[in-house]
Amino acid sequence: MKAREIIIVGGGLMGLTIALELQQRGQSVTILSQNLAAAAGHAAAGMLAPQAEGLAPGPMLDLCLRSRSAYPAWVAQLEGLSGQFVGYWPCGIMAPNADRPIAPDSPADWQDYAQLTATQPGLGPTVAGGWWFPEDAQVDNRALMRALFAAVQTTGIEVCDGIEVQSIATQQNHVTHLETSGGQWQAGQYVLATGAWSQAIAPIPVQPRKGQLLALRWPENARSEGWPLQCVLFGTEIYIVPRQDGRIIVGATSENVGFATGNTAAGVQHLLNAAIRLFPALATCELIETWWGYRPATPDELPILGASQWDNLTLATGHYRNGVLLAPITGQIIADWVVDRRADRALGDFSGGRFGA
Ligand code: GLY
């Protein structure tokens, strides 16, 4: 059994991001992944929406805002390393609502229908008004995953796909090695970044929350100055994320059905009806793809970051609805902890200790 410096368990967005951050700080890193293609990062829509998600003021909103601020530099680094465009687009997110809120969180920002449509024409007649968050943004999450993987491959990071980690072998409060489908693996430090699959490996309360999504494409004749939708629409039932290449991502259901696979007729019907209600011109689009993924949800729907019950295993999981957004800040604060034992304030706020993990 060859001993490695750091093993990252999980080859999804978090695993790849943390691995790259550690490698950039001079660490030798190995990634063990059961199935690189299954990661939640592929399935998401790529919204960077701390404000549109309506997070209450507090540590989670702070963390999400920090990560949104970190995005431009992180994207530049990834695009530089990989030579690939990741589709970061600070297009703003509009959150239209059918009802004028009685007690809005931020009444000063409420815009009526006429104000919203001056920014984005074409909203459906059921919209009463809403909020406009010009600093929220989006990234093409699949392009991001491709670029991240390409960036990882330009480094000395060892990526081992098809390895299922079955259990963590420990002695007192120390991990001695991992038992895997590919034998025993040993390292000085371990990072667990296994998203919705975390509970199969360690006693961490993370459950899958399925989301169904679909993609549309504008007909060629819809284009004039640009495509008809130029910002993200974050409705009360669905969100609509237009890409610059004419695709539109519509998401997402939120279902407590374990790892049930497949798109359902009801799920797709709900997404299409709500999307067309919110932006009627979508009715002319071609339906080009449907898919689903699993958000990693903790009981309080907040991430688990930092120390575990074992002195050499760090947790980075449970990002729920905000994994794409939180990737850059997670990479930074987990690397600070693993390399220097420097504890960002988020490690206190999002400690697994709140669940005894
Ligand atoms: N971030 C949006 C979602 O999880 O559906």
Side-chain angles (χ1 to χ4, degrees):
M1 179 166 50
K2 179 181 157 197
R4 286 156 166 93
E5 202 168 297
I6 302 173
I7 288 179
I8 313 275
V9 185
L13 178 57
M14 289 308 155
L16 295 174
T17 301
I18 295 165
L20 194 59
E21 189 68 33
L22 288 168
Q23 192 277 340
Q24 300 282 302
R25 298 181 192 202
Q27 305 295 302
S28 160
V29 185
T30 299
I31 297 174
L32 298 185
S33 173
Q34 186 173 353
N35 180 2
L36 281 168
H42 295 288
M47 283 187 300
L48 308 176
Q51 291 179 287
E53 282 276 358
L55 298 166
M60 181 61 172
L61 179 60
D62 292 349
L63 189 69
C64 288
L65 290 172
R66 285 171 69 194
S67 207
R68 189 184 66 183
S69 300
Y71 243 85
W74 186 55
V75 160
Q77 182 201 25
L78 286 183
E79 291 185 339
L81 283 169
S82 66
Q84 296 184 19
F85 178 59
V86 305
Y88 171 69
W89 184 13
C91 58
I93 300 187
M94 187 175 285
N97 208 311
D99 305 307
R100 174 176 277 280
I102 295 161
D105 293 335
S106 45
D109 299 332
W110 172 263
Q111 300 193 355
D112 64 20
Y113 183 83
Q115 288 171 303
L116 287 188
T117 51
T119 304
Q120 174 56 65
L123 299 173
T126 57
V127 171
W131 289 270
W132 170 235
F133 302 110
E135 291 172 85
D136 277 357
Q138 65 156 299
V139 66
D140 181 338
N141 49 290
R142 289 188 188 170
L144 178 74
M145 292 294 286
R146 284 193 297 272
L148 193 50
F149 192 64
V152 161
Q153 286 185 311
T154 65
T155 68
I157 296 172
E158 180 185 24
V159 182
C160 305
D161 196 18
I163 305 274
E164 181 191 358
V165 174
Q166 291 153 338
S167 63
I168 299 171
T170 61
Q171 233 168 36
Q172 291 162 341
N173 71 336
H174 194 74
V175 176
T176 55
H177 64 273
L178 304 173
E179 295 287 350
T180 83
S181 57
Q184 296 184 343
W185 291 71
Q186 190 177 52
Q189 294 211 55
Y190 305 83
V191 178
L192 200 68
T194 37
W197 293 265
S198 299
Q199 202 154 36
I201 301 170
I204 305 168
V206 180
Q207 298 287 343
R209 186 79 52 83
K210 183 179 173 184
Q212 299 187 46
L213 299 96
L214 57 86
L216 306 171
R217 185 163 40 222
W218 290 113
E220 214 32 64
N221 64 9
R223 186 172 200 152
S224 55
E225 300 286 295
W227 299 113
L229 183 58
Q230 287 291 319
C231 67
V232 173
L233 298 180
F234 196 116
T236 46
E237 302 171 281
I238 43 113
Y239 45 79
I240 304 172
V241 185
R243 302 283 197 234
Q244 285 165 304
D245 63 5
R247 285 176 302 137
I248 306 120
I249 314 301
V250 179
T253 63
S254 186
E255 302 166 67
N256 256 322
V257 291
F259 287 107
T261 57
N263 285 99
T264 61
V268 172
Q269 180 190 38
H270 165 75
L271 296 176
L272 286 173
N273 282 345
I276 293 169
R277 208 163 30 243
L278 188 53
F279 201 75
L282 292 178
T284 64
C285 288
E286 182 186 354
L287 173 61
I288 55 174
E289 192 184 347
T290 60
W291 69 95
W292 67 94
Y294 306 103
R295 304 173 185 90
T298 61
D300 59 9
E301 300 180 346
L302 299 173
I304 298 177
L305 302 173
S308 70
Q309 60 189 286
W310 302 295
D311 65 356
N312 58 341
L313 187 142
T314 298
L315 301 169
T317 185
H319 292 78
Y320 188 44
R321 294 179 62 90
N322 292 296
V324 176
L325 170 61
L326 288 174
I329 196 74
T330 301
Q332 285 172 24
I333 63 183
I334 293 297
D336 286 346
W337 174 250
V338 170
V339 177
D340 300 321
R341 283 294 182 259
R342 193 144 45 88
D344 186 277
R345 63 181 186 274
L347 299 192
D349 295 326
F350 301 109
S351 157
R354 70 190 192 276
F355 306 119

